[in-house]
Amino acid sequence: MYDFRYHRPATISEAVDLFRQCDDGQYLAGGQTLIPVMKQRLASPSDLIDLARIDELKDISATESAITIGGMTTHAAIAASSEVRSRLAALADLASGIGDPHVRNRGTLGGSIANNDPTADYPAAIVALGATIITDRRRIEGDAFFTNIFETALEEGELIRAVEFPIPERAAYAKFPNPASRYAIAGVMVSKFADIVRVAVTGAGPFVFRVPDMEAALARDFSPEAIEKLQIPAGDLNADLHASPAYRAHLVSILAKRAVQAAKE
Amino acid sequence: MTTVEIGQALKRSEDFRLLTGKGKYVDDISLDGEARAVILRSPHAHARIVEIDRAAAAALDGVHLIVTGQDWLAEGFGPIPTRSAVNKNKDGSPLSEPPRHCLAIDRVRYVGEAVALIVADSEKIARDALELIDVTYEELPAVTDPRKALADGAPRIWDDIPNNLCVDFELGDEAATKAAFEAADHVISLDVENNRVTGVPIEPRGLVGTYDAETDTYLLYNSTQNVHAIRKTIAEDIFKISADKIHHIAPDVGGGFGAKNSVYPEPALVLYAAKQLQRPVKWIAERSESFLADTHGRNQSSKVQLALDSDGTFRALRTDTVGDIGAYCWTIGPFTPTGGSARTQGGPYAFETMYYSSRAVFTNTMPMDPYRGAGRPEGTYQIERIVEAAASQLGLDPVALRRKNLIPAEKLPMKSPMGLDIDSGNFPEVFERTLALSDRDGYSERVAASKAAGRARGFAIAPYLECTGGGPKEFAGIQFAADGTITLSVGSQGTGTGHETAMPQILSAKLGLPVEKIRYRQGDTDATPLGGGHGGSRCLEVGGGAVVRATEAVIDKAKAIAAHLLNSQADDISFADGQFSDAKTNQSTPMEEVVRASFETGRLPQDMEPGCLDSDAIFERGIISCPNGCHAAEVEVDPETGAVAVANYWIVDDFGTIINPLLADGQVMGGVAQGIGQALYEDAVYDEDTGQLLAGSLMDYALPRADLIPNMVIRYYEDAPTAKNPLGVKGAGEAGCCPAPPVIVNAILNALKPYGVTDLSMPVTSEKVWQAIHDAKP
């Protein structure tokens, strides 16, 4: 690890101001990616702005139609939240399957989506649920947030305040974990709202994507059988030690069916 | 006072310390004025070192020493020799052993090879300096696949070693085997791959070294499995000094699995730096460094052939193996795919004849050394896969085929066609007990339940026979103190494996002394005059044997004291249950009283001195023991995704006498988990083109996690202790990972039989299963 300056602001505005003053600053959320990368000397921010003490980033609040979760809420807190569990169980399930207990107790929603690892779980939920990312300066539609591998719509220094998840009629997440990292080799979140069905895939491609064919089929008939014959093309999918593009394409079909089945139950 | 028995499930006395973070590992040792060492490692699989420019690094404030291969040679230090017991080719010529120095000399031959040592005031400064060293490499063609390395025209890793062949080897009767194959009704052939794995001990390797100029001696703390042998090599072969100049200590060691039995370059580098700088030097491996630079294991490609008659009777077995040993011979690298894999060929089955041939081959990869089992798991996998293939191809019941060919109990003792001395056991009985344990009656119901859940269930059973290894000789010393404490020092060594409990348990049981009064010492060249450390499932066999011999020496002397106390003749005194008794006078006195008396001149016979009970013993085994047993497993396969889950696991093991069933269970469970890891998850795979280690982190190298390991039902067959050592033990440490890989793979193939899948290679990943189902579809 290289040397860096450490800051621990108490408010969002203080954090954003600090970032502006830094040479090459970096927000520190749960540190489950950033710290290992720094230890390997693959990242060398001049300043770390630790968000851990900003209490306004840790709220979970609910209205009739949505649950809003602060950016610094840990995966474990989301998994354990009775509000999330009772009204958006698919998200609680997703959070409870991230990494291992250590990762879940340190890693955060905001940190995960800002990093946009192609195999992270949350992007599937953000896109499939049509969530909105609320930052220190604006609201960003979930569909527009993830822009490329490890890239997002966040501007320099823009800080995720919270994510607002609309409550669907039904939703479920099905994941096939990488046996080593427990990231998603493929993960599919399916949601059904009164007016729309969304299918979002993580892990399989460079970043989260929707499957319009499946959405259209499920809008007509929300059942596993409706997408029985639908395969996504393997062409652009990820290849690594643990799965080829063809296998990932196959898994996406299986996981989508299983997610629909689970959402119906 | 608590005396304990052999066979008692005594809880581990070290657990409180280790589980509450109070263990003392190398990284917990920090000495005043300590400097930190880091190693610059090769980024290339094969390259010539054109130039090493260290000027910028050396100029950095706080950097004290930079050492390259040429600097090392200039000091006159010797190369590290291999100790492979197989050291000759078939034709009697010596194996090809390239020189292995502590730093690469002018050429690097695998990714991670040590190129330079950097020592600085802190780890951070040392790493900063490491980045400033500018090495100019000229890349050379690399080869990572041992079969390709053998081919004519393959890149040569060593200019003077044709076809990258280290040694060729054979064992058994080639002509008789050929004749048996020609006479047999059927010949079954199968290519069997044992995948490359690495130990991943939870504690990475680490060192703290000091040098004392006044006495010209070194002190080395090392996370190692073998203080004596490694010290000897460092002292005599590298530094060319006498071994007693180095005091070598292994404090608590967090796992080894064989990888800490090797002679690595880092200890000599650290000691050299400590002497140069006249200050302590510490080196701790990072996890990524462990993947690159801890020895790997397995990686054998074998053609296995089984000759059998129409009624299923096995006639002969023939195996031809290409074994990867990496870029150097390392410590005993060439032995594993040759002698190490040959001895237990054929497992517990009866064969008229066998022939094993093998070639150990250099590649541009991290060298190989023993990995839990070191050849016996490979052999078990080979025989169990070919037996399963024979049953499948000939339409025979795999259970019946195995039962038919097990060596009958009445044939023991015997010598196997590979020369293995099989003295004790009852393989058919162990097999039947395992079958009975595995609830075959309920199987069809479980298959139906799996099917209803969309999954395919499969079953397999794998009897196995392996053997112990490692140093044949071991020392134990017992010292009594006037305050009642007893110090037991043994030259074998635990690495978190419970020796601190087992060895005192033996002493307590044999002498009837309180176990909590016993202090245990191991892993210290000052504690025992010799020691074979940890490896080859040897510790209870030879270490425990030495403890028994030392207790016998204590009893002999104590009898004389007891006779004196009881006014009897020593010949009339018998010792049992901690009491010395004279049947003639009906008088007795406990061992504790005799120990107290041994410190009081007035209560001792005239020819005995206070402290006279202290006793040492060396036990040397004549012949290695043969642990054996039988494992059975059920797996569930999700045919849609290819995911495999191990559903049930049953074990009957014959380790001879069980000293402590809790500790034995721990060894069995760990071994099975490691075997499941090899079967389903672990693969230390190199990129064929670049020679880069692809699975070089825990994000890519999949270890089995607790939630993937099934509950295991474990039973022991204790009716056939061996007479090869005083305790009748056969060794338990490596057995679990022998049958686990084949029983898992065969159970998966059994589940996939309806899909037409007949072969799968380890690790059996979900994608391989899916692909196999996909490919087998008509």
Side-chain angles (χ1 to χ4, degrees), chain B residues 159-213:
Chain B
D159 292 339
D160 54 345
I161 301 179
N163 296 89
N164 300 306
L165 179 64
C166 171
V167 64
D168 65 7
F169 171 86
E170 65 178 349
L171 191 67
D173 190 331
E174 186 178 17
T177 303
K178 187 164 179 280
F181 266 82
E182 281 164 4
D185 296 331
H186 301 286
V187 172
I188 307 293
S189 294
L190 191 69
D191 290 332
V192 177
E193 294 283 324
N194 269 281
N195 42 324
R196 179 187 271 254
V197 292
T198 182
V200 202
I202 195 164
E203 181 209 12
R205 292 190 291 121
L207 303 155
V208 177
T210 70
Y211 173 75
D212 179 25

Side-chain angles (χ1 to χ4, degrees), chain B residues 45 109-110 141-157 163-165 192-194 196 299-302 321-327 359-366 368 684-692:
Chain B
R109 292 176 170 85
Y110 63 93
V143 59
T144 60
D145 181 332
R147 289 160 301 188
K148 290 184 179 163
L150 270 177
D152 290 336
R156 272 199 192 184
I157 293 153
N163 296 89
N164 300 306
L165 179 64
V192 177
E193 294 283 324
N194 269 281
R196 179 187 271 254
N299 213 27
Q300 295 185 18
S301 305
S302 308
T321 290
V322 173
D324 190 358
I325 60 166
R359 285 164 291 174
V361 182
F362 296 109
T363 59
N364 289 112
T365 63
M366 177 66 210
M368 320 282 278
V685 59
Y686 283 84
D687 184 285
E688 268 204 50
D689 297 324
T690 64
Q692 296 293 324

